[in-house]
Amino acid sequence: MRAFLEDKRNIVILLLSILFLIKAPQEGKKFVFWVAYGVSTCTLLDLLIHNLFIKEKPFPKSAIITGFILSGVLDYNQPLFILAILSILAIASKYILKFKNKHIFNPANFGLFIAVILKLPLTWKIEANIPLIIIIGA
């Protein structure tokens, strides 16, 4: 358990998962599919890039977080291909836009930046449960 808690990405994934589960019954099946699609697209693309070009196979925790953030902020009434394109751009930016072998932009922020440029509607649909965020953050 201690090793799990030492990696902050695990805590963020846990928090986003809980917040998603709180919101899913209110938003319905379309929202659940939208978020699952966003998380899956980011995760699978990250795994593909690692397998083809990097040859190491770490668990794609940051890709899961990126998928949650993109699909949680981008309005889920948009066409599915919009989420796919933004997910691809976000994950690809991690490997293409680099300086001194480190990515310049947070991938989720990069995807949302592109969404803002394209004037796509953004809404934070994953529940913002402040007490839960404070408890997990502490």
Side-chain angles (χ1 to χ4, degrees), residues 18-36 71-78 123-128:
I18 292 169
L19 294 174
F20 166 72
L21 291 172
I22 291 170
K23 194 65 172 183
Q26 299 165 11
E27 297 298 324
K29 292 177 188 176
K30 186 175 181 182
F31 174 71
V32 171
F33 179 75
W34 177 266
V35 173
S71 59
V73 175
L74 187 65
D75 182 22
Y76 68 90
N77 293 306
Q78 299 298 304
T123 60
W124 183 247
K125 285 295 183 180
I126 293 182
E127 184 68 36

Side-chain angles (χ1 to χ4, degrees), residues 54-66:
I54 300 172
K55 305 297 183 203
E56 60 183 65
K57 297 175 179 145
F59 189 75
K61 295 175 187 176
S62 62
I64 292 170
I65 294 167
T66 298

Side-chain angles (χ1 to χ4, degrees), residues 57-98:
K57 297 175 179 145
F59 189 75
K61 295 175 187 176
S62 62
I64 292 170
I65 294 167
T66 298
F68 264 123
I69 293 171
L70 282 176
S71 59
V73 175
L74 187 65
D75 182 22
Y76 68 90
N77 293 306
Q78 299 298 304
L80 207 52
F81 76 89
I82 298 287
L83 179 58
I85 290 169
L86 291 175
S87 297
I88 291 166
L89 290 172
I91 296 301
S93 76
K94 186 166 107 173
Y95 298 100
I96 296 170
L97 302 174
K98 294 175 120 182

